[in-house]
Coordinates of all heavy atoms in Angstrom, one line a residue:
M1 N -32.1 -73.1 -89.4 CA -31.0 -74.1 -89.0 C -29.7 -73.3 -88.6 O -29.3 -72.5 -89.3 CB -30.8 -75.2 -90.0 CG -30.0 -76.3 -89.5 SD -29.6 -77.6 -90.8 CE -31.1 -78.0 -91.4
E2 N -29.2 -73.6 -87.4 CA -27.9 -73.1 -87.0 C -26.8 -73.6 -87.9 O -26.8 -74.5 -88.5 CB -27.6 -73.6 -85.5 CG -28.6 -73.1 -84.5 CD -28.3 -71.6 -84.2 OE1 -27.2 -71.1 -84.3 OE2 -29.2 -71.0 -83.8
L3 N -25.7 -72.7 -88.0 CA -24.6 -72.8 -88.8 C -23.9 -74.3 -88.5 O -23.7 -75.0 -89.5 CB -23.6 -71.9 -88.7 CG -22.2 -72.0 -89.5 CD1 -22.6 -72.1 -91.0 CD2 -21.3 -70.9 -89.3
W4 N -23.7 -74.7 -87.3 CA -23.1 -75.9 -87.0 C -24.1 -77.1 -87.4 O -23.4 -78.2 -87.9 CB -22.8 -76.1 -85.4 CG -24.0 -76.1 -84.5 CD1 -24.7 -75.1 -83.9 CD2 -24.6 -77.5 -84.2 NE1 -25.8 -75.7 -83.2 CE2 -25.8 -77.1 -83.3 CE3 -24.4 -78.8 -84.5 CZ2 -26.6 -78.1 -82.8 CZ3 -25.2 -79.7 -84.0 CH2 -26.4 -79.4 -83.1
Q5 N -25.3 -76.9 -87.4 CA -26.2 -78.0 -87.8 C -26.1 -78.1 -89.3 O -26.1 -79.2 -90.0 CB -27.6 -77.7 -87.5 CG -27.9 -77.7 -86.1 CD -29.3 -77.1 -85.7 OE1 -29.7 -76.2 -86.1 NE2 -30.1 -77.9 -84.7
Q6 N -26.0 -76.9 -90.1 CA -25.8 -76.9 -91.5 C -24.5 -77.8 -91.9 O -24.6 -78.6 -92.8 CB -25.8 -75.7 -92.1 CG -27.2 -74.9 -91.9 CD -27.0 -73.5 -92.3 OE1 -25.9 -72.8 -92.5 NE2 -28.2 -72.8 -92.6
I7 N -23.5 -77.4 -91.2 CA -22.2 -78.1 -91.5 C -22.3 -79.5 -91.2 O -21.8 -80.4 -92.0 CB -21.0 -77.4 -90.8 CG1 -21.0 -76.0 -91.1 CG2 -19.9 -78.2 -90.7 CD1 -20.1 -75.0 -90.2
L8 N -22.8 -80.0 -90.1 CA -22.9 -81.4 -89.6 C -23.7 -82.1 -90.7 O -23.4 -83.2 -91.2 CB -23.5 -81.6 -88.4 CG -23.7 -82.9 -87.8 CD1 -22.4 -83.7 -87.8 CD2 -24.3 -82.9 -86.5
W9 N -24.9 -81.5 -91.1 CA -25.8 -82.1 -92.2 C -25.0 -82.6 -93.4 O -25.2 -83.6 -94.0 CB -27.0 -81.4 -92.3 CG -28.0 -82.0 -93.2 CD1 -28.2 -81.6 -94.6 CD2 -28.9 -82.9 -93.0 NE1 -29.2 -82.3 -95.1 CE2 -29.7 -83.2 -94.1 CE3 -29.3 -83.6 -91.9 CZ2 -30.7 -84.1 -94.2 CZ3 -30.3 -84.6 -91.9 CH2 -30.9 -84.8 -93.1
K10 N -24.3 -81.4 -93.9 CA -23.5 -81.5 -95.2 C -22.4 -82.7 -95.0 O -22.2 -83.4 -96.0 CB -23.0 -80.2 -95.6 CG -22.4 -80.3 -97.0 CD -23.5 -80.5 -98.0 CE -22.9 -80.3 -99.4 NZ -24.0 -80.4 -100.4
A11 N -21.8 -82.6 -93.9 CA -20.7 -83.6 -93.7 C -21.1 -85.0 -93.7 O -20.7 -85.9 -94.3 CB -19.9 -83.3 -92.3
L12 N -22.3 -85.3 -93.1 CA -22.9 -86.6 -93.0 C -23.4 -87.0 -94.3 O -23.3 -88.1 -94.7 CB -24.0 -86.7 -91.9 CG -23.7 -86.5 -90.6 CD1 -24.8 -86.4 -89.6 CD2 -22.6 -87.6 -90.1
E13 N -24.0 -86.0 -95.0 CA -24.4 -86.2 -96.5 C -23.3 -86.7 -97.3 O -23.4 -87.6 -98.1 CB -25.0 -85.0 -97.0 CG -25.8 -85.2 -98.3 CD -26.4 -83.7 -98.7 OE1 -25.7 -83.0 -99.4 OE2 -27.5 -83.5 -98.3
K14 N -22.1 -86.2 -97.3 CA -20.9 -86.5 -98.0 C -20.4 -87.8 -97.6 O -19.9 -88.4 -98.4 CB -19.7 -85.4 -97.7 CG -20.0 -84.1 -98.4 CD -18.6 -83.4 -98.1 CE -18.9 -81.9 -98.1 NZ -17.7 -81.1 -97.7
A15 N -20.7 -88.4 -96.4 CA -20.4 -89.5 -95.9 C -21.0 -90.8 -96.7 O -20.7 -91.9 -96.4 CB -20.5 -89.8 -94.4
D16 N -22.0 -90.4 -97.5 CA -22.7 -91.4 -98.3 C -23.4 -92.5 -97.5 O -23.1 -93.6 -97.9 CB -21.7 -91.9 -99.3 CG -22.4 -92.5 -100.5 OD1 -23.5 -92.2 -100.8 OD2 -21.7 -93.4 -101.3
G17 N -24.0 -92.2 -96.5 CA -24.7 -93.3 -95.7 C -23.7 -94.0 -94.8 O -24.3 -94.8 -94.0
R18 N -22.5 -93.9 -94.7 CA -21.7 -94.7 -93.9 C -21.8 -94.5 -92.4 O -21.6 -95.3 -91.5 CB -20.2 -94.4 -94.2 CG -19.8 -95.0 -95.5 CD -18.4 -94.6 -95.8 NE -18.4 -93.2 -96.2 CZ -17.5 -92.5 -96.6 NH1 -16.3 -93.0 -96.6 NH2 -17.6 -91.3 -97.0
Q19 N -22.5 -93.3 -92.1 CA -22.8 -93.0 -90.7 C -23.9 -93.9 -90.1 O -24.0 -94.0 -88.9 CB -23.3 -91.5 -90.4 CG -24.5 -91.1 -91.0 CD -24.6 -90.8 -92.5 OE1 -23.6 -91.1 -93.2 NE2 -25.7 -90.2 -92.9
Y20 N -24.6 -94.6 -90.9 CA -25.7 -95.5 -90.4 C -25.3 -97.0 -90.0 O -26.0 -97.7 -89.7 CB -26.8 -95.6 -91.3 CG -27.4 -94.2 -91.7 CD1 -27.3 -93.6 -92.9 CD2 -28.0 -93.6 -90.6 CE1 -27.8 -92.3 -93.1 CE2 -28.7 -92.3 -90.8 CZ -28.5 -91.7 -92.0 OH -29.0 -90.4 -92.1
L21 N -23.8 -97.2 -90.3 CA -23.4 -98.6 -90.0 C -23.6 -98.8 -88.5 O -23.2 -97.9 -87.7 CB -21.9 -98.6 -90.4 CG -21.6 -98.6 -91.9 CD1 -20.2 -98.5 -92.2 CD2 -22.3 -99.7 -92.7
P22 N -23.9 -100.0 -88.1 CA -24.1 -100.4 -86.7 C -22.8 -100.2 -85.9 O -21.7 -100.6 -86.4 CB -24.4 -101.8 -86.8 CG -25.1 -102.1 -88.0 CD -24.3 -101.2 -89.0
G23 N -22.8 -99.7 -84.7 CA -21.6 -99.6 -83.9 C -20.9 -98.4 -84.1 O -19.9 -98.1 -83.5
I24 N -21.2 -97.6 -85.1 CA -20.5 -96.3 -85.4 C -21.1 -95.3 -84.6 O -22.2 -95.0 -84.5 CB -20.6 -95.9 -86.9 CG1 -20.0 -97.0 -87.8 CG2 -20.0 -94.6 -87.2 CD1 -18.5 -97.1 -87.8
V25 N -20.0 -94.5 -83.8 CA -20.5 -93.5 -83.0 C -20.0 -92.3 -83.7 O -18.9 -92.0 -84.1 CB -19.7 -93.5 -81.6 CG1 -20.0 -92.2 -80.8 CG2 -20.1 -94.9 -81.0
I26 N -21.1 -91.3 -83.9 CA -20.7 -90.0 -84.4 C -20.4 -88.9 -83.5 O -21.2 -88.7 -82.5 CB -21.9 -89.6 -85.4 CG1 -22.1 -90.6 -86.5 CG2 -21.7 -88.1 -85.9 CD1 -23.4 -90.4 -87.2
D27 N -19.2 -88.3 -83.6 CA -18.9 -87.1 -82.6 C -19.2 -85.8 -83.5 O -18.2 -85.4 -84.2 CB -17.4 -87.3 -82.2 CG -17.1 -86.1 -81.1 OD1 -17.8 -85.1 -81.2 OD2 -16.1 -86.4 -80.5
A28 N -20.4 -85.3 -83.4 CA -20.8 -84.2 -84.1 C -19.8 -83.1 -83.9 O -19.5 -82.3 -85.0 CB -22.2 -83.8 -83.6
Q29 N -19.4 -82.8 -82.7 CA -18.5 -81.6 -82.6 C -17.1 -81.8 -83.4 O -16.7 -80.8 -83.9 CB -18.1 -81.5 -81.0 CG -17.3 -80.2 -80.7 CD -17.1 -80.1 -79.3 OE1 -17.5 -80.9 -78.4 NE2 -16.4 -79.1 -78.9
K30 N -16.6 -83.0 -83.4 CA -15.3 -83.2 -84.1 C -15.6 -83.1 -85.6 O -14.8 -82.5 -86.2 CB -14.8 -84.6 -83.8 CG -14.2 -84.6 -82.4 CD -13.5 -86.0 -82.1 CE -13.0 -85.9 -80.8 NZ -12.3 -87.2 -80.5
I31 N -16.7 -83.6 -86.0 CA -17.0 -83.4 -87.5 C -17.1 -82.0 -87.8 O -16.6 -81.5 -88.9 CB -18.3 -84.3 -87.9 CG1 -18.1 -85.7 -87.8 CG2 -18.8 -83.9 -89.3 CD1 -19.4 -86.5 -87.8
V32 N -17.9 -81.2 -87.1 CA -18.1 -79.8 -87.4 C -16.7 -79.1 -87.3 O -16.4 -78.2 -88.2 CB -19.1 -79.1 -86.5 CG1 -19.1 -77.6 -86.6 CG2 -20.4 -79.7 -86.8
Q33 N -15.9 -79.3 -86.3 CA -14.6 -78.5 -86.3 C -13.8 -78.9 -87.3 O -13.0 -78.2 -87.9 CB -14.0 -79.2 -84.9 CG -14.5 -78.6 -83.7 CD -13.9 -79.1 -82.4 OE1 -13.3 -80.2 -82.3 NE2 -14.2 -78.3 -81.2
M34 N -13.7 -80.2 -87.8 CA -12.8 -80.6 -88.9 C -13.3 -80.0 -90.2 O -12.5 -79.4 -91.0 CB -12.8 -82.1 -89.1 CG -11.7 -82.6 -90.2 SD -10.1 -81.8 -90.1 CE -9.5 -82.6 -88.6
E35 N -14.6 -79.9 -90.5 CA -15.2 -79.2 -91.7 C -14.9 -77.7 -91.6 O -14.5 -77.2 -92.6 CB -16.6 -79.4 -91.8 CG -16.9 -80.8 -92.1 CD -16.4 -81.4 -93.6 OE1 -16.5 -80.6 -94.5 OE2 -15.9 -82.4 -93.5
C36 N -14.9 -77.0 -90.3 CA -14.6 -75.6 -90.4 C -13.3 -75.5 -90.5 O -12.8 -74.5 -91.3 CB -15.0 -75.2 -88.9 SG -16.8 -75.0 -88.6
Y37 N -12.2 -76.3 -89.9 CA -10.9 -76.1 -90.2 C -10.5 -76.3 -91.6 O -9.7 -75.3 -92.2 CB -10.1 -77.1 -89.4 CG -8.6 -77.1 -89.7 CD1 -7.8 -76.0 -89.2 CD2 -8.0 -78.0 -90.6 CE1 -6.4 -76.0 -89.5 CE2 -6.8 -78.0 -90.9 CZ -5.9 -76.9 -90.4 OH -4.7 -77.0 -90.8
K38 N -11.0 -77.1 -92.4 CA -10.7 -77.3 -93.8 C -11.2 -76.1 -94.6 O -10.5 -75.6 -95.5 CB -11.4 -78.7 -94.2 CG -10.7 -79.8 -93.9 CD -11.1 -81.2 -94.4 CE -12.6 -81.5 -94.2 NZ -13.1 -82.9 -94.7
T39 N -12.3 -75.7 -94.2 CA -12.9 -74.5 -95.0 C -12.1 -73.2 -94.7 O -11.8 -72.5 -95.7 CB -14.4 -74.2 -94.5 OG1 -15.1 -75.5 -94.9 CG2 -15.0 -73.1 -95.4
L40 N -11.8 -73.1 -93.4 CA -10.9 -71.8 -93.1 C -9.6 -71.9 -93.7 O -9.0 -70.8 -94.2 CB -10.8 -71.6 -91.5 CG -12.0 -71.2 -90.9 CD1 -11.9 -71.3 -89.4 CD2 -12.4 -69.9 -91.3
K41 N -9.1 -73.1 -93.8 CA -7.7 -73.3 -94.6 C -7.8 -72.8 -96.0 O -7.0 -72.1 -96.6 CB -7.2 -74.7 -94.4 CG -5.9 -74.8 -94.9 CD -5.5 -76.3 -94.8 CE -3.9 -76.5 -95.2 NZ -3.6 -77.7 -95.7
K42 N -8.9 -73.3 -96.8 CA -9.1 -72.9 -98.2 C -9.3 -71.4 -98.2 O -8.9 -70.8 -99.1 CB -10.4 -73.6 -98.7 CG -10.2 -75.2 -98.8 CD -11.3 -75.8 -99.3 CE -11.2 -77.2 -99.5 NZ -12.5 -77.9 -99.8
I43 N -10.2 -70.8 -97.2 CA -10.4 -69.3 -97.3 C -9.1 -68.6 -97.2 O -8.7 -67.6 -97.9 CB -11.4 -68.9 -96.3 CG1 -12.7 -69.3 -96.6 CG2 -11.4 -67.4 -96.0 CD1 -13.7 -69.4 -95.3
K44 N -8.2 -69.0 -96.2 CA -7.0 -68.4 -96.1 C -6.1 -68.5 -97.4 O -5.4 -67.6 -97.7 CB -6.1 -69.1 -95.0 CG -4.8 -68.6 -94.5 CD -4.3 -69.3 -93.2 CE -3.2 -68.6 -92.7 NZ -1.9 -68.7 -93.5
E45 N -6.1 -69.6 -98.0 CA -5.3 -69.7 -99.1 C -5.8 -68.8 -100.3 O -5.0 -68.2 -101.1 CB -5.4 -71.1 -99.7 CG -4.7 -72.1 -99.0 CD -4.9 -73.6 -99.3 OE1 -5.8 -73.8 -100.1 OE2 -4.4 -74.5 -98.6
I46 N -7.1 -68.6 -100.3 CA -7.7 -67.7 -101.4 C -7.3 -66.1 -101.0 O -6.8 -65.4 -101.9 CB -9.3 -67.8 -101.5 CG1 -9.8 -69.2 -102.0 CG2 -9.9 -66.5 -102.2 CD1 -11.1 -69.5 -101.8
V47 N -7.3 -65.9 -99.8 CA -7.1 -64.4 -99.4 C -5.6 -64.2 -99.7 O -5.2 -63.1 -99.9 CB -7.5 -64.3 -98.0 CG1 -7.2 -62.9 -97.4 CG2 -9.1 -64.3 -97.8
E48 N -4.7 -65.1 -99.4 CA -3.3 -64.9 -99.4 C -2.8 -65.1 -100.9 O -1.6 -64.9 -101.0 CB -2.6 -66.0 -98.6 CG -2.8 -65.7 -97.0 CD -2.2 -66.7 -96.3 OE1 -1.8 -67.8 -96.7 OE2 -1.9 -66.5 -95.1
D49 N -3.6 -65.3 -101.8 CA -3.2 -65.5 -103.1 C -2.7 -64.2 -103.7 O -3.6 -63.3 -104.1 CB -4.3 -66.2 -104.0 CG -3.8 -66.4 -105.5 OD1 -2.6 -66.0 -105.9 OD2 -4.6 -67.1 -106.3
E50 N -1.3 -64.1 -103.8 CA -0.8 -62.7 -104.2 C -1.0 -62.5 -105.8 O -0.8 -61.3 -106.2 CB 0.7 -62.7 -103.9 CG 1.1 -62.8 -102.5 CD 1.0 -61.4 -101.8 OE1 1.1 -60.4 -102.4 OE2 0.8 -61.5 -100.6
S51 N -1.4 -63.5 -106.5 CA -1.6 -63.3 -107.9 C -2.9 -62.6 -108.3 O -3.1 -62.2 -109.4 CB -1.5 -64.6 -108.5 OG -2.6 -65.5 -108.4
L52 N -3.8 -62.5 -107.3 CA -5.0 -61.8 -107.4 C -5.0 -60.2 -107.3 O -4.3 -59.9 -106.3 CB -6.1 -62.5 -106.6 CG -6.4 -63.9 -106.8 CD1 -7.4 -64.4 -105.7 CD2 -6.9 -64.2 -108.2
D53 N -5.4 -59.5 -108.2 CA -5.5 -58.0 -108.0 C -6.8 -57.6 -107.3 O -7.6 -58.2 -107.3 CB -5.4 -57.3 -109.3 CG -4.1 -57.6 -110.1 OD1 -3.4 -58.4 -109.7 OD2 -4.0 -57.0 -111.2
D54 N -6.7 -56.2 -106.8 CA -7.9 -55.7 -106.2 C -9.2 -55.9 -107.2 O -10.2 -56.0 -106.8 CB -7.7 -54.3 -105.8 CG -7.0 -54.3 -104.5 OD1 -6.8 -55.3 -103.8 OD2 -6.4 -53.2 -104.2
P55 N -9.0 -55.6 -108.4 CA -10.2 -55.7 -109.2 C -10.8 -57.1 -109.3 O -12.0 -57.4 -109.7 CB -9.7 -55.4 -110.7 CG -8.5 -54.6 -110.5 CD -8.0 -55.1 -109.2
E56 N -10.1 -58.2 -108.9 CA -10.5 -59.5 -108.9 C -11.3 -59.8 -107.4 O -11.5 -60.9 -107.0 CB -9.4 -60.4 -109.1 CG -8.9 -60.4 -110.5 CD -8.0 -61.4 -110.8 OE1 -8.0 -62.4 -110.3 OE2 -6.9 -61.1 -111.6
C57 N -11.6 -58.7 -106.6 CA -12.2 -59.0 -105.5 C -13.5 -59.6 -105.5 O -13.8 -60.5 -104.7 CB -12.3 -57.6 -104.6 SG -13.0 -57.7 -103.0
F58 N -14.3 -59.4 -106.5 CA -15.5 -60.1 -106.5 C -15.2 -61.6 -106.8 O -16.0 -62.4 -106.1 CB -16.2 -59.5 -107.9 CG -17.5 -60.3 -108.2 CD1 -18.7 -59.9 -107.6 CD2 -17.5 -61.3 -109.2 CE1 -19.9 -60.7 -107.7 CE2 -18.7 -62.1 -109.4 CZ -19.9 -61.8 -108.7
R59 N -14.3 -62.0 -107.6 CA -14.0 -63.4 -107.7 C -13.7 -64.0 -106.4 O -14.0 -65.1 -106.1 CB -13.1 -63.6 -108.6 CG -12.7 -65.1 -109.3 CD -11.7 -65.2 -110.4 NE -10.4 -65.0 -110.0 CZ -9.6 -65.7 -109.4 NH1 -10.1 -67.0 -109.1 NH2 -8.3 -65.4 -109.1
R60 N -12.8 -63.3 -105.6 CA -12.4 -63.9 -104.4 C -13.7 -64.1 -103.4 O -13.8 -65.3 -102.8 CB -11.6 -62.9 -103.7 CG -10.2 -62.9 -104.1 CD -9.2 -61.9 -103.4 NE -7.9 -61.7 -103.9 CZ -7.1 -60.9 -103.4 NH1 -7.2 -60.5 -102.2 NH2 -5.8 -60.8 -104.1
M61 N -14.6 -63.2 -103.5 CA -15.7 -63.2 -102.5 C -16.6 -64.3 -103.0 O -17.1 -65.2 -102.3 CB -16.5 -61.8 -102.5 CG -15.7 -60.8 -101.9 SD -15.1 -61.2 -100.1 CE -16.7 -61.3 -99.3
E62 N -16.7 -64.6 -104.3 CA -17.5 -65.7 -104.8 C -17.0 -66.9 -104.4 O -17.6 -67.9 -104.1 CB -17.6 -65.4 -106.3 CG -18.5 -66.5 -107.1 CD -19.9 -66.5 -106.6 OE1 -20.4 -65.4 -106.1 OE2 -20.7 -67.4 -106.9
E63 N -15.7 -67.1 -104.6 CA -15.0 -68.4 -104.2 C -15.1 -68.7 -102.6 O -15.4 -69.8 -102.3 CB -13.4 -68.3 -104.3 CG -13.0 -68.3 -105.8 CD -11.5 -68.2 -105.9 OE1 -10.8 -69.2 -105.3 OE2 -10.9 -67.4 -106.7
I64 N -15.2 -67.7 -101.7 CA -15.4 -67.9 -100.4 C -16.8 -68.4 -100.2 O -17.2 -69.3 -99.4 CB -15.1 -66.6 -99.6 CG1 -13.7 -66.4 -99.6 CG2 -15.7 -66.7 -98.2 CD1 -13.1 -65.0 -99.1
L65 N -17.9 -67.7 -100.9 CA -19.4 -68.1 -100.7 C -19.5 -69.5 -101.3 O -20.3 -70.3 -100.7 CB -20.2 -67.1 -101.5 CG -20.2 -65.6 -100.9 CD1 -21.0 -64.8 -101.9 CD2 -20.8 -65.8 -99.4
V66 N -18.8 -69.9 -102.3 CA -18.9 -71.3 -102.8 C -18.4 -72.3 -101.8 O -18.9 -73.3 -101.6 CB -18.1 -71.4 -104.1 CG1 -17.8 -73.0 -104.4 CG2 -18.8 -70.7 -105.2
L67 N -17.4 -71.9 -101.0 CA -16.8 -72.8 -99.9 C -18.0 -72.9 -98.8 O -18.1 -74.0 -98.3 CB -15.6 -72.2 -99.2 CG -14.3 -72.2 -100.2 CD1 -13.1 -71.4 -99.5 CD2 -13.9 -73.6 -100.5
F68 N -18.6 -71.8 -98.6 CA -19.6 -71.9 -97.5 C -20.8 -72.8 -98.1 O -21.4 -73.7 -97.4 CB -20.1 -70.6 -97.1 CG -19.3 -70.0 -96.0 CD1 -18.5 -69.0 -96.3 CD2 -19.2 -70.4 -94.8 CE1 -17.6 -68.3 -95.5 CE2 -18.4 -69.8 -93.8 CZ -17.6 -68.8 -94.3
D69 N -21.0 -72.7 -99.2 CA -22.2 -73.6 -100.0 C -21.7 -75.1 -99.9 O -22.5 -75.9 -99.6 CB -22.3 -73.3 -101.3 CG -23.1 -72.0 -101.6 OD1 -23.8 -71.5 -100.6 OD2 -23.1 -71.4 -102.7
E70 N -20.4 -75.4 -100.0 CA -19.9 -76.7 -100.0 C -20.2 -77.4 -98.7 O -20.3 -78.5 -98.6 CB -18.4 -76.7 -100.4 CG -18.3 -76.5 -102.0 CD -16.8 -76.4 -102.3 OE1 -15.9 -76.5 -101.5 OE2 -16.5 -76.2 -103.5
I71 N -20.1 -76.6 -97.6 CA -20.2 -77.2 -96.3 C -21.7 -77.1 -95.9 O -22.0 -77.3 -94.7 CB -19.3 -76.7 -95.3 CG1 -19.6 -75.2 -95.0 CG2 -17.9 -76.9 -95.6 CD1 -18.8 -74.5 -93.8
G72 N -22.5 -76.7 -96.7 CA -24.0 -76.5 -96.5 C -24.5 -75.4 -95.6 O -25.5 -75.3 -95.1
A73 N -23.5 -74.2 -95.5 CA -23.9 -73.0 -94.9 C -24.6 -72.1 -95.8 O -24.1 -71.8 -96.9 CB -22.6 -72.4 -94.2
D74 N -25.8 -71.7 -95.5 CA -26.5 -70.9 -96.2 C -25.8 -69.5 -96.2 O -25.5 -68.9 -95.4 CB -27.9 -70.7 -95.7 CG -28.8 -69.8 -96.6 OD1 -28.6 -69.6 -97.7 OD2 -29.9 -69.5 -96.0
D75 N -25.6 -68.9 -97.6 CA -25.0 -67.6 -97.7 C -26.0 -66.6 -97.8 O -25.7 -65.3 -98.0 CB -24.1 -67.6 -99.0 CG -24.9 -67.9 -100.3 OD1 -26.2 -67.7 -100.3 OD2 -24.3 -68.2 -101.4
G76 N -27.4 -66.8 -97.7 CA -28.4 -65.8 -97.8 C -28.6 -65.2 -99.2 O -29.1 -64.3 -99.3
G77 N -28.0 -65.9 -100.2 CA -28.3 -65.5 -101.6 C -27.3 -64.3 -102.0 O -27.7 -63.5 -102.8
R78 N -26.2 -64.1 -101.3 CA -25.3 -63.0 -101.5 C -24.4 -63.2 -102.6 O -23.3 -62.6 -102.7 CB -24.7 -62.7 -100.2 CG -25.5 -62.3 -99.1 CD -26.0 -60.9 -99.1 NE -24.9 -59.9 -99.5 CZ -24.6 -58.8 -98.9 NH1 -25.4 -58.4 -98.0 NH2 -23.7 -58.1 -99.4
H79 N -24.6 -63.9 -103.7 CA -23.7 -64.2 -104.7 C -23.7 -63.1 -105.7 O -22.8 -63.0 -106.6 CB -24.1 -65.5 -105.5 CG -23.7 -66.7 -104.7 ND1 -22.4 -67.3 -104.8 CD2 -24.3 -67.4 -103.8 CE1 -22.3 -68.4 -104.1 NE2 -23.4 -68.4 -103.4
D80 N -24.7 -62.1 -105.7 CA -24.8 -61.1 -106.7 C -24.3 -59.7 -105.9 O -25.1 -59.1 -105.2 CB -26.2 -60.9 -107.2 CG -26.2 -59.8 -108.2 OD1 -25.2 -59.3 -108.6 OD2 -27.4 -59.5 -108.7
F81 N -23.2 -59.4 -106.1 CA -22.6 -58.1 -105.5 C -22.6 -57.0 -106.3 O -22.3 -55.9 -106.0 CB -21.0 -58.4 -105.2 CG -20.9 -59.4 -104.1 CD1 -20.4 -60.6 -104.4 CD2 -21.1 -59.1 -102.8 CE1 -20.2 -61.5 -103.4 CE2 -20.9 -60.1 -101.7 CZ -20.4 -61.3 -102.2
G82 N -23.2 -57.1 -107.6 CA -23.3 -56.0 -108.7 C -24.2 -55.0 -108.3 O -24.6 -54.5 -107.6

């Protein structure tokens, strides 16, 4: 499944069925763009966190992978960097 499809699927899943209401038009591109923006904003905040040291790089990467999981993007099982 393409990344944009994974993101859209997860966003619609989070909508808790509201997308099936009669008369509702879904703009897939806008949904994917908004989910991507929200995720990139969170990634930026993680990377810019000055309180984290280099030894905490693993934790940063794990946080980023969790964000991708949250939008339904497959990380390919790369949670184990050890």
